[in-house]
Amino acid sequence: MGAGQVDLVLTDGCRHVARYPLRHITLSTHPRIQELVDAAPGRPLRTLTVNRIDSGPSCREPVLDVERFVKLEKLSARGPALVVGPMIAAMGVVFGDIGTSPLYAATTTFDAGSFDVSGPSAEYVYGSTATILYALTLVVTILYVRFLIRADNRGEGGLLALFGLLRRSGLKARTLTTFTIVAMLGAAMFLGDSVITPAISVLSAVEGLEVIQPTLSALVVPIAVVILLGVFAIQRFGTRTIGRLFGPIMLLWFLVLAVTGGASILEDPAVLQALSPHWVVLFFIDQPGTAFFALGAIVLAVTGAEALYADLGHFGRQAITRAWMWVVFPALVLNYLGQASLALRHPQEATSSFFGLVPAWGQLPMVILATAATIIASQSVISGTYSVIHQAWRLGLFPPLRVVHTSEKNEGQIYVPAINVLLALAVLAVTIGFRGSAALASAYGIAVTTTISITTIVYLAWSWAHSRRLTPRILAAGAILLVTVAFLVANLPKATSGGWLPLAIGAIIFTVMGSWWIGQQRIRAARRIGELPLSDLESFLTRAKGDLFRVPGDAVFITRNPNIVPVALRTMVTQNHALQKRSILLSWSTIDVPSTVGMKQRINVETFPSGIVRVVAKVGFLEQPRMTELLTEAHTVDKTALVNFASSRATFFISTPVPRYNRRSKMFRWAQVLFLALDRLAPDPVDVIELPRDRTIVLAREALL
């Protein structure tokens, strides 16, 4: 195979993906590229994908450091056989929520237009169905699949990953503070929605038993509770394992959606008129009040769009895009049109249009399949919740929690035990409390539309900061923002009939995030008072030289601020009058990228005249800061400064702030109390950065809020 038969795909989180034939790349004969070509005998190698490490305006230029990417194993073959597997796995996690929306979105919408027992009018069915289809097109296909998942932060997606991109755009401090609050609000609303989605999805499927046998209605809630308990119990196995298990089921689900919808369309092909956008215009001109009220139900068709973006780090952009365009979107369109066809033929059955598509002999199997699909629907928001919480913690917006990485290859696949337990309890409480999908439908929508609107606002801000001009992409996203705001306004009346629930949950989470963020800022300000600048280190040691003993051994003093002398070192010198012969100042900072592996100047090593070595590391917001690994990597950077160093023999010193209540603080008293409670619940910092407990000395330092 010649180089001209292969393309190089360049992705870097910028505004576009560049594709260059390898014959135009002078390094196309690199042995690693040839190795990849040779590794796919019998399978035409379509592309080689390179995930750029450096982002910015330079992404427009086809400049590649192939040696560097080869060293990091960033080059990967993408043949046809390697496309279907990730697509099916993505269907098993990412599209569960939006893929099961036909269970309740169309029926709820038709019910909103049924003013008597005869059911909705034909004009209402055409108009509402067309609005559903174009909502899917605008919000999901264009906004999320075309725009947002291309705005990835080193492979990670979601509102907070997008906020990380925005923070690197050089915003003014006041503007950055404003968008921090906006991002926290959006993340809180997403988490509030995460409580509703599993409950409404599973309940709507199990309620199919009532269609088969009305006397089984008493079993709906108990069965739903058992199913949800099982969903949360399997989370510890990781999303890739779950995706492989659930993917084939979801593929079958979408095929069934397409077949049942298509069969119904064949009975009345006139329903294909709903594909025309003029029905949307007529819907809002002829029935403005009814159409606006119907938006509160139509929005149910796009629930799960934010989870699609938040789960980007679990499966990647290509798998998600192909699964949506090739399988999910066509199946949803066929099924919604099929339900509309049934509503036109039998208007009185419109409020049970989903299971009405299935013949009597197939309803029980359909209930079983729908139940399995809704279990998977729950998975998409659960895994998205883990990603959001982890990103919020690493960005300093949420208390630290224990995170389990379930994949050795994909840093984005995680499991957060504490969040799993809390989310399970909340979902079960909602399921038992509301006892039906119809009751939960009124609670659904506000949090979804709020999150989508905020994500779009942050995307527009990032796009503007990136280009500083009105581009077609910005104009299109701005127009879609108007649509999502219309959905949000239409959902506001739900606040009194159930919509208060996700708002209340979101408000609680926002309060926690805000209190933690402000408290951390207060602690950092308190720590800066009285700290010794690093520039004064040599003079400080010179003054203490007369009674300072340099004892054998290695000491590692850990601090978050690389520009100050660690409190632990000052204490050792002033109180103990002793300091190890080789003392290392180790600091790290979390930057707005998911991972720093392979980044140039990830670790800097500097030696002072006194012999003290400073190591400064950068850590991504999805990475676990492991001090011993950073020191090992520092040894490879400067073998002279750390000659014969072994972390297994070193003593570690860490200074941790002990926050105290401050009556004179500008921080609200209740916020101080909440922060102090959260701080006490946070895990031990020694465990968070994985220090050897038997060789770690912790010095506490009081910090007034």
Side-chain angles (χ1 to χ4, degrees), residues 353-610:
S353 57
F354 179 80
F355 287 102
L357 296 178
V358 184
W361 59 265
Q363 287 190 346
L364 181 57
M366 190 63 175
V367 169
I368 295 172
L369 179 60
T371 302
T374 54
I375 292 172
I376 300 165
S378 305
Q379 180 59 50
S380 65
V381 292
I382 293 171
S383 57
T385 299
Y386 297 154
S387 297
V388 169
I389 290 293
H390 190 45
Q391 292 172 11
W393 164 44
R394 300 303 298 147
L395 291 171
L397 306 178
F398 202 81
L401 297 170
R402 187 173 74 89
V403 175
V404 178
H405 291 270
T406 57
S407 172
E408 295 180 358
K409 297 181 179 179
N410 193 330
E411 189 78 13
Q413 295 184 13
I414 58 174
Y415 165 62
V416 187
I419 295 301
N420 191 60
V421 172
L422 291 174
L423 188 60
L425 293 175
V427 170
L428 292 175
V430 167
T431 303
I432 296 171
F434 280 78
R435 306 187 67 82
S437 61
L440 273 173
S442 61
Y444 219 19
I446 294 181
V448 174
T449 52
T450 301
T451 304
I452 294 175
S453 299
I454 289 176
T455 301
T456 308
I457 290 171
V458 175
Y459 174 76
L460 287 170
W462 172 74
S463 298
W464 174 260
H466 211 61
S467 61
R468 297 292 178 180
R469 62 188 179 88
L470 284 177
T471 62
R473 188 181 297 256
I474 290 177
L475 293 174
I480 296 174
L481 176 61
L482 297 178
V483 175
T484 62
V485 170
F487 278 122
L488 174 59
V489 174
N491 275 275
L492 291 180
K494 293 182 178 182
T496 58
S497 60
W500 57 268
L501 177 62
L503 291 178
I505 296 172
I508 292 171
I509 296 171
F510 178 77
T511 302
V512 170
M513 296 175 73
S515 299
W516 184 261
W517 177 57
I518 295 172
Q520 288 293 318
Q521 288 184 319
R522 300 290 301 176
I523 285 181
R524 282 193 291 269
R527 294 186 68 172
R528 284 195 294 267
I529 300 175
E531 286 183 338
L532 184 67
L534 190 65
S535 57
D536 295 340
L537 173 62
E538 292 301 313
S539 59
F540 169 71
L541 293 176
T542 300
R543 291 193 301 269
K545 189 174 182 180
D547 58 351
L548 177 63
F549 296 93
R550 301 301 293 268
V551 298
D554 294 330
V556 180
F557 296 92
I558 296 174
T559 177
R560 291 301 301 271
N561 189 342
N563 298 315
I564 61 101
V565 178
V567 174
L569 186 147
R570 294 174 58 192
T571 302
M572 286 289 293
V573 172
T574 58
Q575 300 296 325
N576 297 339
H577 307 288
L579 192 64
Q580 280 82 350
K581 287 185 177 180
R582 180 160 55 187
S583 295
I584 302 170
L585 311 183
L586 175 59
S587 63
W588 82 97
S589 60
T590 302
I591 60 177
D592 295 326
V593 299
S595 175
T596 58
V597 175
M599 178 180 289
K600 288 183 178 179
Q601 297 182 337
R602 179 184 187 229
I603 293 181
N604 291 316
V605 181
E606 178 184 1
T607 303
F608 292 94
S610 59

Side-chain angles (χ1 to χ4, degrees), residues 63-85:
V63 179
L64 304 173
D65 184 351
V66 174
E67 287 290 346
R68 180 182 176 197
F69 286 119
V70 169
K71 180 179 178 182
L72 298 173
E73 297 182 347
K74 293 292 182 180
L75 290 172
S76 58
R78 288 291 182 266
L82 301 179
V83 170
V84 176

Side-chain angles (χ1 to χ4, degrees), residues 218-230:
L219 297 177
V220 169
V221 174
I223 292 175
V225 168
V226 172
I227 291 172
L228 289 169
L229 284 172

Side-chain angles (χ1 to χ4, degrees), residues 643-693:
V643 62
N644 296 326
F645 174 81
S647 58
S648 59
R649 298 191 301 265
T651 303
F652 294 84
F653 294 85
I654 182 172
S655 174
T656 60
V658 180
R660 296 298 184 196
Y661 182 80
N662 185 4
R663 293 182 180 275
R664 298 181 180 180
S665 174
K666 294 181 180 180
M667 189 176 179
F668 291 118
R669 293 184 178 181
W670 60 264
Q672 290 190 58
V673 173
L674 176 58
F675 178 84
L676 292 172
L678 293 172
D679 183 71
R680 286 173 172 78
L681 292 174
D684 192 324
V686 174
D687 295 330
V688 172
I689 57 179
E690 299 188 9
L691 292 176
R693 188 168 289 278

Side-chain angles (χ1 to χ4, degrees), residues 163-405:
F163 173 63
L165 286 175
L166 182 62
R167 292 210 310 190
R168 302 206 304 270
S169 302
L171 299 178
K172 295 181 179 178
R174 182 173 296 182
T175 304
L176 182 60
T177 299
T178 300
F179 276 102
T180 300
I181 296 172
V182 170
M184 286 193 296
L185 179 61
M189 289 297 104
F190 174 80
L191 296 174
D193 172 53
S194 299
V195 175
I196 306 296
T197 299
I200 192 174
S201 298
V202 174
L203 280 171
S204 61
V206 180
E207 283 170 353
L209 292 173
E210 298 177 351
V211 178
I212 300 172
Q213 181 55 259
T215 58
L216 298 177
S217 59
L219 297 177
V220 169
V221 174
I223 292 175
V225 168
V226 172
I227 291 172
L228 289 169
L229 284 172
V231 169
F232 286 101
I234 65 173
Q235 294 305 310
R236 60 189 181 89
F237 296 109
T239 52
R240 182 160 297 277
T241 301
I242 294 171
R244 289 173 178 172
L245 175 65
F246 287 166
I249 298 175
M250 285 307 295
L251 179 59
L252 175 61
W253 168 256
F254 289 119
L255 290 175
V256 171
L257 288 185
V259 169
T260 55
S264 180
I265 293 171
L266 291 176
E267 294 190 39
D268 185 8
V271 75
L272 294 175
Q273 297 179 59
L275 292 172
S276 172
H278 87 278
W279 279 108
V280 179
V281 178
L282 292 177
F283 189 39
F284 284 89
I285 292 177
D286 296 341
Q287 308 176 60
T290 302
F292 183 76
F293 180 75
L295 287 179
I298 291 171
V299 73
L300 299 177
V302 299
T303 58
E306 187 66 24
L308 179 152
Y309 187 29
D311 284 332
L312 178 62
H314 292 254
F315 296 98
R317 179 180 60 82
Q318 288 189 347
I320 292 174
T321 301
R322 288 167 173 163
W324 172 257
M325 297 303 299
W326 297 355
V327 180
V328 181
F329 186 43
L332 292 177
V333 170
L334 287 172
N335 194 265
Y336 282 123
L337 287 173
Q339 292 191 57
S341 176
L342 177 65
L344 290 172
R345 300 194 311 272
H346 307 288
Q348 67 279 5
E349 298 180 14
T351 54
S352 59
S353 57
F354 179 80
F355 287 102
L357 296 178
V358 184
W361 59 265
Q363 287 190 346
L364 181 57
M366 190 63 175
V367 169
I368 295 172
L369 179 60
T371 302
T374 54
I375 292 172
I376 300 165
S378 305
Q379 180 59 50
S380 65
V381 292
I382 293 171
S383 57
T385 299
Y386 297 154
S387 297
V388 169
I389 290 293
H390 190 45
Q391 292 172 11
W393 164 44
R394 300 303 298 147
L395 291 171
L397 306 178
F398 202 81
L401 297 170
R402 187 173 74 89
V403 175
V404 178
H405 291 270

